[in-house]
Amino acid sequence: MTDSRPVLTMTGISKSFPGVRALHDVNFRLFPGEVHALMGENGAGKSTLIKVLTGVYDTDEGAITLHGEPVSFTGPMQATAAGVSTVYQEVNLCTNLSVAENIFIGREPRLLGAVRWGEVRRRARALLARLDLDLDVSAPLGSYSLAIQQMVAIARAIDIQARVLILDEPTSSLDAGEVAQLFRIMRQLRDEGIAILFVTHFLDQVYEIADRITVLRNGGLVGEYPTAELPQLSLVEKMIGKELDVLEGIEEHSRRDLAELEEGTPLVAVSNLGRAGAVAPFSLTIHAGEVVGLAGLLGSGRTEVARLFFGADRADGGQVAIDGTSSSLRTPAQAIDQGVGFCSENRRAEGIVPELSVRENIILAMQAARGWLRPIPRRRQDELVDKYVKALNIRPADPEVPVRNLSGGNQQKVLLARWLITEPRLLILDEPTRGIDIGAKTEIQRLVTQLSDGGMAVLFISAELEEVLRLSHKVAVMRDRQMVAQLANDEGLDAERIMQTIASGSHREEVDR
Amino acid sequence: MNDTMGRYRTMIGHRLFWPIAVLVVMLAANTIYRPGFLSIELKDGHLYGSPIDILRLSAPLILVALGMTLVISTGGIDLSVGSVCAISGAMACMYISKQPDQNSLTVVLTALAMALGVALVLGVWNGVLVAVIGIQPIIATLILMVAGRGLAQLITQGQIITINSGPFRGIGLGHLLTLPLAIFIALAAALLVAAFTRRTALGMIIESVGGNAEASRLAGIRSGRVIFLAYVVSAVCAAIAGFMMTANVSSADGNAVGLWVELDAILAVVIGGTSLAGGRFFLSGTILGALIIQTLTTTVYAMNISPQTSLLFKAVVVIAVCLIQAPAFRAKFSRRRRSAPPPRPVADKPKEQVPA
Amino acid sequence: MTTGSLTVPRRTRFRLPRRQVPVLATLALLLVMYGIGVSQYTAFSNVQVIFNVFIDNGFLLVVAVGMTFVILTGGIDLSVGSVVAMTAMVSADLLQKGLPAALVLVIALLIGPTLGLLMGCAIHFFDIQPFIVTLAGMFFARGMCTFISGSSIPITDGFWTRMSQERIGDPRGNFVSISVLIAFAVVLVAAYVLAYTRLGRNVYAIGGNPQSALLMGLPLGRTRIAVYTISGLCSAIGGILLSFYTLSGAPLIAVGMELDVIAAVVIGGTVLTGGSGYVFGTVLGVLVLGVIQTLITFDGSLNSWWTKIVIGGLLFAFILLQRLIGIRYK
Ligand SMILES: Nc1ncnc2c1ncn2[C@@H]1O[C@H](COP(=O)(O)OP(=O)(O)OP(=O)(O)O)[C@@H](O)[C@H]1O
Ligand SMILES: [Mg+2]
């Protein structure tokens, strides 16, 4: 399948940031007509390698060749011009511009220097149709969900007539259907002889699409392997560098019976909570110690439900009862006072404060709840932060570095820690395992189980049905901005049945209450 | 040897290194030009000399800049400080001038309290416009900047109010423990602001709001209140500065008091290392920035630079200060100096810092 | 893994043309304000009143157009007022020295963009905040003004006086000056550049998110430098128009003008953090300031401090209403 001559080579690449050696003597090859997975834990240096390649960062040492010629891009502009097209981790588009413009800006079709807007829109629609998307291409990108933004970023990248396509965690916020669509196109491009570099934390996806795998660990190269010759277990071992038992995942933990859990007054009970244009009125109860999973396709209103629970958006109508007494969740501050925590899916815009240190980011919510007049004593801060930096394996482990300098997955862990230290009674986790490496992911899943065993209620949102199924006692299914069903997670429930519910929008199997 | 190099590096890398260096260079230049510049003498139990003058004259600017630091840190800006200075000065002077005994301490204290009350109202006004109504800070405070000058003149009925009040003059020219009182006031304000922000969690919360307002809201911070507070503090600081400015000359001119002080204050804040985009703030840097600006002004006078070119001079110094502080500039500079650079496949070009 | 067949049709959210709302609000309020003027003062309904607003504010409009570019990228240019003054000053000085008008025009039109280019380079290459760089630019240009002459220099050149006195009007005696036409030409060109050229679109992209723009492969540096150069050019044109208007160059003219300009741009619906706004909005913003001025002149009874207070009050009322309308329709 692959030519003998690599289209791209990187040799002896080293890159240091102040205090961190992100890459050390890394070699990498990419052949035409292959999908090459770049694997490694959070902070292994995957994104840095990509940014060094496209010239976002200077290299400290090392050489890059493209088509056998030495190259040194001074920035993404040159890289794109040379036929290297990239989707960076996190969506990097301009939300104020229209969808169509985001796809074509920089290479709009023009007539005598004037952008032909009609043509831009027409082509954008055609391109999105290829990805099975039907959007209003003249609407601002910011009015769409993160997942759709990610699809638009991919559309932009594949439209560039590139010889090398780089996708840094493109699938992190996509659902199964979307991923299938993306893979179809990736295969098509691969067959056209395009070299594709692909980063993901989903092992299944790697084995589904990748021809070869390069593994990085702690900024160093572990090795390059044909996918067929590297069983899943040894891949993970190579990524984390030790024998593995985490992979076995959490045991089917002795899941308490739903009926038993749902005795007594619910911790939070909402009825007819809704918000025009975001999500239709729904009712849901969550009991202490209960994990409620929220399943549904992209844009089905999962995040919107979470935001209403937290008061991040204001509900148009409906009642909220906490511990049986009527109450309200109108602002985040109010919700936090009631013991609710919310880990947003959009960590860059709604999560981290980039300039502040890891420590400050972690204690932020707790401090906000205490009020500014009662600062958390420094020693207590250090204790708490230390504990969670260790527990979640946040790297680098120095709590004083600005969060901006952490890799994407580590930023996610910082946000998780922020909420865990507030010891909420209800924790809302919107895609908490997105972009997190396999070890940490299992860790987070285990944590959720532990927390719920300890009496914390969790509202768990994830695009991965398996994960939802593994953790929740009850699964609420969203479809088309409506909550169409609430299913008890008993023996009879599996991914297949949830899929069917999503597809048919059936109300039949609703839990009796 | 390696160790000294390392220490040298950390020193250079320190945030306050360059502002201090600039200040020292400016003082040195003055001393070379006028050898007596640094001498301080004790007369009638008071210390006199150019350095003391610089400290005394920079007190109002320090005050204004302190408030401005907080506002800028929340991601805002306060253009109205000059007008607030003028209004509070005018209020105080007007009240005192109407009293039979201008030297009475109670009269002066009442005047100050009244003027401070008005400043509070003005601060609340700005705060409401920005934090509650959500008007862009530059425009919200522009309203008061324009109208405030009018208000100040309205208070003085367009006159220049001259007063003859010992206690009031003391705010600007009085002495305490051989040093000008103004220095102590500025110092006290600085310590107070520092205590309020750094001894409590307020500082971090302000930085968080300035760094990412939406994330802060979702972390449960009531951003509106924090922003509101910053504008109120800024107005109060400006009012005290206004007292000093008017006390210095024992008169209030609605048009002239605090003219362009907002620009100097913003400049001081930025020289001190706080970004205009909001986020991290540095009070000590701000104070240094204010001192640099005042030293510059004094230098211009002392060196007999013609008033025509003084602005040119100021432009050059501002750019120079900012250039040496700019990491990009320093990176270029040090890269050129570094001996035997490692193979550098990528052309020397400033790189944007892009988060992962 | 499931197949694509499960993908439900996604409903797009219901949206109003949110981006146009501020501009429309401004337009509506401007009409209301004009209506108030007409109902209060009969002479206000005269078409010439509107023309005069343009005549008096033509230079402001041109400068505001340049500022729109800068603010759209999320930057700011404080040097405009001083550059306007410097351009007028240099022209007056050179004309007085007897240089031909054409040459003076060329020189005057080159100074502003050159300064803008330098400031843009400082901002981009050394990563210094625009506020500071352009503040230094402001000091520099103002310093140059006083350096050239401490007092006002009259202009007697034939071309200048002709440009100043030429009236283009209809038979009923309503007229505009050449400056107004020039200002309109600038507006049209700018609107075209912003809407239809790559440079213009890059301006919006950078204002939206500079890091993304960089990663999308857009020429961040080139665009940034370009907008400050454009602003410099607009200030230079504004300076020439001002010298047509006043037939002199004065060292302290247009002090504080940068704030009027910024106010006009923001009132016109451009967001200071960049990425959203229109030149047409800026035109409206300048008109708002102009009409406020006109209302005050029509009243005629206000002394200088009440004038300031009333301007502040009207500005407040206007922004408040604009904001309320904006919230309403979001
Ligand atoms: N701009 C930066 N400044 C300082 N350190 C950085 C910067 N960018 C990345 N790093 C550090 O470099 C290391 C590698 O980061 P990188 O983003 O390449 O990780 P990654 O493999 O992409 O991880 P993830 O799977 O979480 O995205 C991390 O330790 C990170 O903290
Ligand atoms: Mg990464």
Side-chain angles (χ1 to χ4, degrees):
Chain A
M1 191 187 293
T2 51
D3 278 359
S4 50
R5 290 243 326 265
V7 55
L8 174 87
T9 65
M10 301 176 79
T11 32
I13 303 286
S14 294
K15 171 73 192 168
S16 293
F17 295 108
V20 187
R21 204 169 62 177
L23 291 174
H24 179 64
D25 197 17
V26 172
N27 298 325
F28 179 76
R29 306 182 299 161
L30 192 59
F31 289 91
E34 74 163 347
V35 175
H36 192 135
L38 185 59
M39 304 293 295
E41 285 185 290
N42 294 137
K46 305 179 294 291
S47 303
T48 307
L49 187 70
I50 289 168
K51 286 182 178 168
V52 162
L53 166 61
T54 60
V56 178
Y57 297 144
D58 279 339
T59 38
D60 296 342
E61 268 168 65
I64 305 173
T65 67
L66 187 69
H67 304 296
E69 305 281 318
V71 287
S72 59
F73 301 126
T74 53
M77 198 167 46
Q78 283 87 344
T80 317
V84 178
S85 169
T86 315
V87 176
Y88 295 90
Q89 188 178 11
E90 313 282 326
V91 179
N92 277 291
L93 295 176
C94 296
T95 45
N96 61 323
L97 302 182
S98 73
V99 171
E101 192 163 12
N102 266 294
I103 297 177
F104 284 105
I105 190 163
R107 40 197 183 81
E108 305 95 335
R110 290 184 299 179
L111 188 71
L112 303 175
V115 176
R116 296 163 59 199
W117 286 114
E119 178 75 5
V120 167
R121 282 191 290 271
R122 200 183 55 71
R123 282 212 223 161
R125 267 191 294 271
L127 188 61
L128 289 172
R130 230 178 120 187
L131 285 165
D132 234 16
L133 279 178
D134 178 24
L135 308 177
D136 172 8
V137 292
S138 44
L141 183 75
S143 61
Y144 289 102
S145 72
L146 205 62
I148 291 179
Q149 294 183 19
Q150 191 148 41
M151 289 301 273
V152 173
I154 293 169
R156 174 181 173 84
I158 61 177
D159 185 63
I160 296 174
Q161 297 301 318
R163 301 309 301 163
V164 176
L165 177 63
I166 301 174
L167 303 167
D168 192 353
E169 297 198 29
T171 55
S172 59
S173 55
L174 303 186
D175 67 20
E178 234 88 18
V179 171
Q181 202 64 28
L182 173 63
F183 281 7
R184 206 171 45 73
I185 288 176
M186 278 168 68
R187 289 201 186 92
Q188 194 181 324
L189 292 172
R190 173 182 66 189
D191 296 343
E192 288 165 17
I194 290 170
I196 301 177
L197 170 55
F198 178 66
V199 178
T200 185
H201 288 292
F202 295 101
L203 298 183
D204 294 345
Q205 294 180 0
V206 173
Y207 283 91
E208 187 184 340
I209 190 128
D211 303 306
R212 275 177 324 127
I213 300 175
T214 291
V215 180
L216 295 182
R217 183 171 69 232
N218 273 336
L221 176 70
V222 176
E224 186 199 277
Y225 316 90
T227 313
E229 292 166 25
L230 188 69
Q232 196 148 334
L233 198 64
S234 28
L235 167 60
V236 175
E237 278 171 9
K238 290 203 179 348
M239 279 163 60
I240 34 186
K242 57 181 179 222
E243 301 274 310
L244 183 79
D245 47 300
V246 248
L247 225 213
E248 284 145 37
I250 36 173
E251 302 292 303
E252 277 290 304
H253 69 285
S254 54
R255 207 186 279 123
R256 275 169 296 170
D257 194 44
L258 185 61
E260 193 180 304
L261 264 175
E262 299 215 323
E263 274 167 18
T265 34
L267 175 64
V268 182
V270 302
S271 52
N272 292 318
L273 205 64
R275 181 180 160 86
V279 60
F282 63 92
S283 302
L284 186 67
T285 57
I286 307 179
H287 288 74
E290 185 181 19
V291 180
V292 178
L294 216 47
L297 300 177
L298 291 181
S300 61
R302 297 178 311 209
T303 298
E304 286 76 0
V305 167
R307 290 178 66 89
L308 288 185
F309 259 92
F310 188 63
D313 294 327
R314 211 166 266 192
D316 295 337
Q319 287 85 46
V320 179
I322 294 178
D323 292 327
T325 49
S326 147
S327 149
S328 76
L329 299 168
R330 294 170 67 78
T331 64
Q334 239 175 26
I336 292 169
D337 281 347
Q338 313 264 22
V340 184
F342 170 58
C343 214
S344 164
E345 65 161 346
N346 192 348
R347 67 173 156 248
R348 205 166 61 164
E350 299 174 354
I352 59 165
V353 183
E355 268 183 280
L356 296 192
S357 67
V358 170
R359 173 177 57 83
E360 287 166 315
N361 267 284
I362 291 182
I363 63 160
L364 195 60
M366 187 184 203
Q367 183 63 65
R370 286 167 67 109
W372 60 270
L373 272 174
R374 294 198 305 134
I376 306 167
R378 184 55 191 264
R379 184 175 308 168
R380 175 110 185 85
Q381 290 184 22
D382 290 338
E383 269 169 31
L384 284 168
V385 170
D386 253 16
K387 180 170 152 211
Y388 282 96
V389 165
K390 283 213 188 69
L392 298 174
N393 192 14
I394 295 173
R395 266 181 287 175
D398 175 8
E400 296 309 317
V401 294
V403 135
R404 160 170 29 102
N405 291 352
L406 264 57
S407 78
N410 281 306
Q411 291 178 353
Q412 179 72 47
K413 296 180 195 171
V414 167
L415 290 185
L416 210 63
R418 173 189 294 174
W419 291 110
L420 290 180
I421 68 165
T422 65
E423 298 179 349
R425 297 201 296 154
L426 167 64
L427 183 57
I428 305 167
L429 298 175
D430 194 355
E431 300 279 6
T433 57
R434 169 188 303 164
I436 280 201
D437 63 52
I438 179 98
K441 190 166 178 170
T442 340
E443 202 48 56
I444 285 172
Q445 294 179 358
R446 182 173 295 158
L447 207 67
V448 169
T449 335
Q450 270 170 18
L451 291 172
S452 83
D453 285 346
M456 190 187 291
V458 179
L459 183 61
F460 190 87
I461 304 177
S462 171
E464 283 178 80
L465 283 184
E466 291 73 25
E467 198 177 51
V468 174
L469 277 170
R470 195 170 319 148
L471 298 176
S472 1
H473 300 100
K474 180 166 82 181
V475 180
V477 181
M478 302 293 301
R479 175 202 155 99
D480 230 359
R481 304 194 176 274
Q482 278 182 338
M483 195 177 284
V484 290
Q486 293 179 21
L487 311 170
N489 189 5
D490 49 26
E491 305 307 307
L493 191 66
D494 53 16
E496 193 64 23
R497 242 186 69 201
I498 294 184
M499 275 299 175
Q500 276 166 11
T501 318
I502 292 173
S504 65
S506 116
H507 292 249
R508 265 174 293 138
E509 322 207 26
E510 209 159 331
V511 180
D512 294 325
R513 57 196 57 257
Chain B
M1 146 104 189
N2 232 342
D3 190 43
T4 46
M5 265 316 271
R7 222 177 293 159
Y8 168 78
R9 282 251 170 74
T10 40
M11 194 177 78
I12 295 246
H14 193 271
R15 208 171 17 80
L16 294 182
F17 175 80
W18 286 109
I20 291 177
V22 169
L23 193 58
V24 168
V25 166
M26 261 191 312
L27 292 177
N30 269 302
T31 319
I32 293 167
Y33 184 79
R34 205 156 49 96
F37 182 80
L38 282 180
S39 66
I40 295 172
E41 54 183 327
L42 191 66
K43 236 192 281 170
D44 316 328
H46 302 333
L47 288 174
Y48 287 98
S50 299
I52 303 290
D53 271 348
I54 291 177
L55 282 176
R56 180 174 67 82
L57 291 172
S58 62
L61 182 56
I62 290 179
L63 278 168
V64 176
L66 281 174
M68 187 70 83
T69 310
L70 298 188
V71 170
I72 287 181
S73 175
T74 64
I77 200 158
D78 187 353
L79 293 182
S80 71
V81 285
S83 294
V84 175
C85 288
I87 292 174
S88 61
M91 268 303 279
C93 287
M94 198 64 200
Y95 179 80
I96 294 174
S97 73
K98 293 252 171 69
Q99 303 306 311
D101 179 11
Q102 299 194 357
N103 280 320
S104 140
L105 194 61
T106 34
V107 165
V108 172
L109 287 181
T110 322
L112 295 188
M114 272 173 47
L116 269 181
V118 171
L120 266 179
V121 173
L122 297 177
V124 168
W125 163 266
N126 279 335
V128 167
L129 290 196
V130 176
V132 181
I133 306 182
I135 300 175
Q136 300 192 47
I138 204 168
I139 293 301
T141 54
L142 180 69
I143 294 171
L144 188 55
M145 178 185 183
V146 175
R149 286 276 160 211
L151 283 176
Q153 282 172 288
L154 180 70
I155 292 169
T156 63
Q157 289 299 312
Q159 310 288 310
I160 296 177
I161 308 286
T162 313
I163 56 170
N164 191 359
S165 163
F168 190 71
R169 193 169 44 232
I171 300 172
L173 301 171
H175 281 77
L176 184 74
L177 301 172
T178 75
L179 283 172
L181 183 61
I183 298 180
F184 288 101
I185 296 178
L187 194 67
L191 290 178
L192 205 66
V193 173
F196 256 96
T197 51
R198 295 306 182 196
R199 292 277 139 181
T200 70
L202 187 62
M204 187 191 85
I205 287 181
I206 289 177
E207 291 174 341
S208 160
V209 169
N212 186 343
E214 178 62 8
S216 306
R217 189 179 79 93
L218 291 182
I221 292 172
R222 294 167 170 90
S223 323
R225 293 187 197 177
V226 175
I227 295 174
F228 178 85
L229 189 68
Y231 285 91
V232 174
V233 171
S234 172
V236 169
C237 286
I240 302 174
F243 299 152
M244 278 182 195
M245 294 170 185
T246 41
N248 269 337
V249 289
S250 276
S251 70
D253 175 355
N255 253 336
V257 173
L259 197 60
W260 304 126
V261 74
E262 58 277 348
L263 290 184
D264 278 347
I266 295 168
L267 205 55
V269 173
V270 174
I271 290 177
T274 305
S275 160
L276 276 170
R280 285 263 186 244
F281 67 90
F282 306 102
L283 292 173
S284 48
T286 296
I287 294 173
L288 267 178
L291 287 175
I292 289 179
I293 292 172
Q294 187 55 48
T295 311
L296 183 63
T297 315
T298 310
T299 310
V300 169
Y301 283 121
M303 293 197 172
N304 282 327
I305 294 173
S306 74
Q308 279 107 34
T309 40
S310 69
L311 272 176
L312 289 179
F313 186 73
K314 198 166 176 179
V316 171
V317 173
V318 165
I319 276 295
V321 173
C322 290
L323 269 187
I324 47 175
Q325 269 195 283
F329 183 78
R330 264 154 48 191
K332 271 188 196 190
F333 197 60
S334 61
R335 207 175 278 175
R336 220 156 282 152
R337 268 187 330 198
R338 203 154 63 193
S339 53
R344 178 165 297 280
V346 177
D348 281 7
K349 191 192 166 279
K351 296 284 172 172
E352 302 287 316
Q353 288 280 305
V354 183
Chain C
M1 288 275 127
T2 48
T3 57
S5 64
L6 267 180
T7 315
V8 288
R10 241 184 294 274
R11 234 191 288 146
T12 56
R13 271 186 221 172
F14 177 65
R15 274 180 312 271
L16 270 150
R18 201 187 325 167
R19 284 179 296 179
Q20 277 88 345
V21 164
V23 177
L24 295 180
T26 312
L27 182 61
L29 284 172
L30 185 64
L31 292 179
V32 169
M33 203 154 72
Y34 183 72
I36 292 174
V38 171
S39 69
Q40 293 294 311
Y41 315 102
T42 35
F44 213 89
S45 58
N46 197 332
V47 184
Q48 188 59 38
V49 170
I50 301 178
F51 285 175
N52 281 343
V53 170
F54 278 111
I55 293 174
D56 296 343
N57 293 292
F59 70 103
L60 190 72
L61 180 56
V62 173
V63 179
V65 165
M67 183 71 86
T68 310
F69 276 81
V70 175
I71 292 186
L72 276 176
T73 63
I76 200 152
D77 187 352
L78 293 181
S79 70
V80 289
S82 305
V83 173
V84 164
M86 180 170 73
T87 312
M89 221 35 209
V90 167
S91 319
D93 186 51
L94 292 182
L95 287 171
Q96 198 183 34
K97 294 208 170 91
L99 263 71
L103 186 62
V104 172
L105 262 187
V106 171
I107 295 176
L109 282 179
L110 276 180
I111 297 175
T114 311
L115 186 61
L117 180 79
L118 290 178
M119 293 192 298
C121 288
I123 291 166
H124 177 67
F125 289 114
F126 302 127
D127 216 4
I128 314 178
Q129 307 191 26
F131 194 99
I132 298 304
V133 173
T134 57
L135 186 63
M138 165 178 155
F139 290 153
F140 175 81
R142 191 60 75 183
M144 284 309 285
C145 287
T146 38
F147 187 72
I148 293 170
S149 161
S151 57
S152 161
I153 309 173
I155 297 178
T156 50
D157 176 81
F159 177 71
W160 251 258
T161 40
R162 213 164 345 108
M163 295 302 272
S164 153
Q165 281 151 11
E166 184 80 34
R167 294 177 166 200
I168 301 153
D170 66 2
R172 271 173 298 167
N174 297 320
F175 65 93
V176 293
S177 61
I178 297 212
S179 303
V180 176
L181 298 186
I182 296 176
F184 270 110
V186 170
V187 167
L188 291 180
V189 170
Y192 175 82
V193 168
L194 279 178
Y196 283 102
T197 65
R198 283 209 179 146
L199 172 68
R201 301 322 295 173
N202 290 344
V203 165
Y204 281 94
I206 288 174
N209 187 340
Q211 280 163 2
S212 292
L214 182 81
L215 291 182
M216 286 164 93
L218 302 180
L220 184 65
R222 217 193 303 150
T223 311
R224 263 211 209 139
I225 295 171
V227 294
Y228 289 95
T229 313
I230 290 174
S231 176
L233 178 63
C234 287
S235 304
I237 299 176
I240 302 274
L241 296 190
L242 183 66
S243 66
F244 287 165
Y245 185 73
T246 61
L247 281 184
S248 67
L252 288 182
I253 204 166
V255 168
M257 178 184 166
E258 50 281 344
L259 289 175
D260 286 344
V261 174
I262 294 169
V265 173
V266 173
I267 289 174
T270 303
V271 186
L272 268 175
T273 45
S276 136
Y278 300 95
V279 171
F280 180 61
T282 300
V283 176
L284 295 179
V286 170
L287 282 182
V288 168
L289 294 188
V291 172
I292 288 180
Q293 279 290 351
T294 312
L295 278 174
I296 284 169
T297 354
F298 261 76
D299 184 81
S301 68
L302 297 177
N303 58 24
S304 76
W305 52 91
W306 271 112
T307 308
K308 286 178 191 159
I309 297 175
V310 172
I311 291 180
L314 285 176
L315 202 60
F316 168 66
F318 190 87
I319 291 167
L320 189 66
L321 280 174
Q322 188 192 39
R323 175 87 195 135
L324 291 180
I325 296 177
I327 289 173
R328 212 43 199 287
Y329 284 90
K330 231 178 221 167

